[in-house]
Amino acid sequence: MGFLVGSQNGVRGGGCFRSLIRRKQVDSVHFKRHGHHQLAKELSVPHLIAIGVGSTIGAGIYILVGTVAREHSGPALFISFLIAGIAAALSAFCYAELASRCPSAGSAYHYSYICVGEGVAWLIGWALILEYTIGGSAVARGISPNLALFFGGQDSLPFFLARQHIPGFDVLVDPCAAVLVLVVTGLLCVGIKESTLAQAVVTSINVCAMLFIIIAGSYLGFKTGWAGYELPAGYFPFGVDGMLAGSATVFFAYIGFDSVASTAEEVKNPQRDLPLGIGLALSICCCLYMLVSVVIVGLVPYYAMDPDTPISSAFAAYGMQWAAYLVAAGAVMALCSTLMGSILPQPRILMAMARDGLLPSFFSDINKRSQVPVKSTLVTGLGSAVLAFFMDVSQLAGMVSVGTLLAFTMVAVSVLILRYVPPNEVPFPSSLQEIIDSVSLRYSTGSQEVTKEKSGFHASTSMDSNLPLLGKATAIEYPIIVKQGAQGNFFINEGSRRKIAGWTITATFVGAFLLAYAASDLNLPRLLRFIVCGIGGALLLFGLIVLTCIEQDDARHNFGHSGGFICPFVPLLPIVCFLVNIYLLINLGAATWTRVSVWLIVGVLVYTFYGRTHSSLLDAVYVPATHADEIYRSSGESSP
């Protein structure tokens, strides 16, 4: 058996394109991050549920129900939340498998780097940085108006916390938002266990407020006859299309559960706890959303709901003015919890990118006492605090969704790659070149002897160098796979199967994009729209059929850490997942994409002039994964 050596696909370092497709190794017992301390393994399932629920349930539920009910869903609002929850669960299944197999900091960036390549991973990480920065700032800006209700009104906060208009600059500064961001940042620097405990307390108060809404609202509804459901228009006043449009809108209320995956390195038992944490957090959020929506649209007819304060106004309509304070308390707690969930993942993204050499090593430093990336956390907190103090980022809120949906899409693609074409090469540092050459020479000699015995001639490997490891090296020889088909036996070479699967995944992704593009209202000519839709649908259907018919790669069983969650219904579930996410991405609007494009262009420049040339894989030597253990043993690098 020959070795495929050099960098990815046999070329060390390589040009710009080859740097984009080089992939790193899944963390294993053999893999050490020399010079880096590890994050503290302190988290269990209750901690993960607190992070997931706290990051997901924001103040949107206190406002979103009114807008969506009035404009899209009517009394069928709870069905919109159910469908959106099912769509979010598709991504959650994909996250659960990858998080348990690759339990390291970095979330979608980490998975993309392992399965897709460095270029895509960089863009995902760069987009997530934007998401968490703007998301944290936007959440912080929303706290002060709700907090002011407890001081007597909109402008009743103490002077040093109240919003102030700076004359001549047309800037409305928000000291309260900046202070809250700094407080949360300081808490996150103390330690992951302490900050998670604080988030659990805040989240519990928020959940109690929602339970009050559900219980008190149900009592009023049964007492008064559920006026919101006694309507001549029925449950679907805007039709099924309106209800589905409402689902697309409330889908963003589920964004946040991916924060659980970002803490994977700090989980005590990631193979068991991460899937449970993600699944239970999403289930709790979906149940609470549905129950609140069932109660509120039943108390007040959908057309009479206040779009700004739907819940408190619903209770006020029944003479319960005091309930507004409980609702406001729930909104403040929800915002504080979401603020913590927005700031928590970003330092870990920065740390993971710095560990891989794509950002300065400053961001990868871990405090020895607290065992958290304090420097990255401080940079994240100061950046968010400055942004929250000076800018009204409400117009930039759409940019938050771009990072999340791009991450969801790449996670789904990564699951398909993991199942059908998992990486079959392992990167080693160039310092091990002599050991790799010696191991390769032994296998190459054995392979040549077998060839002599069978065919009587010598298989030359001198076309590249004296050692078959250098230059183009002989390709990996795949065994012949025999399958039993409906019409009899047929044969497929394993190398050919991987090529077919790889190109099919690419075609499926392109088909999903074309179908989502044509299905969106982009003012395409009718004929062209049908043609694009037909091509996209055909590619999507073709990909689904081919991936269903061919075997998944046997190496998937040994990929990463085994024994964790396995995503069901592959390839159907990941394909539907990235189709939904691409559709939502396209419908975010031109203005949002224009702003995001500027940020991504900056990211491309940073990667080109720094990340690409400082990557830890710059001089990596890739060898077949089947021989990695022997090289580890020979080098003495294995962990005890």
Side-chain angles (χ1 to χ4, degrees), residues 115 122 170 180 255 295 327 411 523:
C115 295
W122 168 266
D170 194 27
L180 287 169
I255 288 178
V295 169
V327 173
V411 167
N523 298 318

Side-chain angles (χ1 to χ4, degrees), residues 126-480:
W126 194 250
L128 288 175
I129 291 172
L130 176 70
E131 171 198 341
Y132 293 128
T133 300
I134 294 181
S137 303
V139 168
R141 274 264 175 169
I143 293 178
S144 53
N146 287 278
L147 195 61
L149 295 176
F150 295 97
F151 290 88
Q154 187 69 26
D155 301 317
S156 301
L157 279 174
F159 176 78
F160 63 92
L161 292 177
R163 291 181 176 179
Q164 305 291 335
H165 184 269
I166 300 179
F169 292 95
D170 194 27
V171 174
L172 186 66
V173 298
D174 192 339
C176 181
V179 169
L180 287 169
V181 171
L182 293 176
V183 169
V184 169
T185 301
L187 185 60
L188 291 174
C189 289
V190 173
I192 185 64
K193 190 173 184 179
E194 292 79 5
S195 59
T196 304
L197 178 61
Q199 187 170 26
V201 173
V202 174
T203 301
S204 297
I205 297 174
N206 177 29
V207 171
C208 287
M210 297 186 73
L211 291 176
F212 165 79
I213 294 169
I214 295 168
I215 295 171
S218 298
Y219 170 76
L220 291 175
F222 283 112
K223 184 179 179 180
T224 59
W226 300 104
Y229 293 122
E230 299 295 332
L231 300 174
Y235 288 97
F236 299 92
F238 300 97
V240 175
D241 291 340
M243 183 269 295
L244 293 176
S247 298
T249 303
V250 301
F251 175 84
F252 298 104
Y254 289 96
I255 288 178
F257 70 84
D258 54 316
S259 297
V260 176
S262 69
T263 64
E265 196 172 311
E266 296 155 284
V267 180
K268 295 177 181 178
N269 187 350
Q271 282 70 47
R272 183 197 66 186
D273 294 349
L274 279 170
L276 283 175
I278 293 173
L280 291 175
L282 186 61
S283 300
I284 291 171
C285 293
C286 185
C287 290
L288 289 174
Y289 285 158
M290 291 178 62
L291 290 172
V292 169
S293 60
V294 164
V295 169
I296 296 304
V297 298
L299 291 178
V300 180
Y302 70 91
Y303 52 81
M305 296 182 71
D306 189 322
D308 297 320
T309 57
I311 297 178
S312 56
S313 62
F315 283 104
Y318 289 88
M320 297 175 63
Q321 297 286 351
W322 55 270
Y325 290 99
L326 289 176
V327 173
V332 170
M333 292 298 103
L335 284 166
C336 290
S337 181
T338 306
L339 176 60
M340 295 181 69
S342 297
I343 297 179
L344 173 67
Q346 184 172 325
R348 286 145 182 84
I349 301 289
L350 293 172
M351 181 192 69
M353 297 175 76
R355 281 176 170 176
D356 296 327
L358 304 183
L359 288 176
S361 59
F362 169 86
F363 294 104
S364 64
D365 291 342
I366 296 176
N367 185 272
K368 292 182 180 179
R369 185 186 61 82
S370 62
Q371 292 184 275
V372 296
V374 171
K375 294 180 180 179
S376 296
T377 303
L378 289 174
V379 170
T380 297
L382 290 173
S384 295
V386 170
L387 197 61
F389 183 77
F390 285 106
M391 291 185 62
D392 182 4
V393 292
S394 58
Q395 293 183 347
L396 307 180
M399 299 170 70
V400 175
S401 301
V402 172
T404 300
L405 292 173
L406 283 175
F408 284 7
T409 303
M410 281 299 105
V411 167
V413 173
S414 296
V415 169
L416 287 179
I417 292 174
L418 184 157
R419 294 298 190 88
Y420 290 95
V421 282
N424 58 356
E425 304 162 14
V426 177
F428 283 88
S430 57
S431 59
L432 298 179
Q433 182 70 63
E434 292 185 5
I435 296 174
I436 296 171
D437 287 345
S438 65
V439 174
S440 172
L441 190 58
R442 289 200 301 269
Y443 276 96
S444 178
T445 303
S447 177
Q448 291 173 8
E449 291 176 354
V450 171
T451 303
K452 287 180 182 179
E453 293 175 1
K454 291 187 176 181
S455 59
F457 65 89
H458 179 73
S460 174
T461 58
S462 60
M463 58 184 297
D464 303 308
S465 81
N466 293 330
L467 288 175
L469 286 176
L470 303 178
K472 291 185 179 179
T474 55
I476 298 174
E477 298 174 5
Y478 294 100
I480 297 296

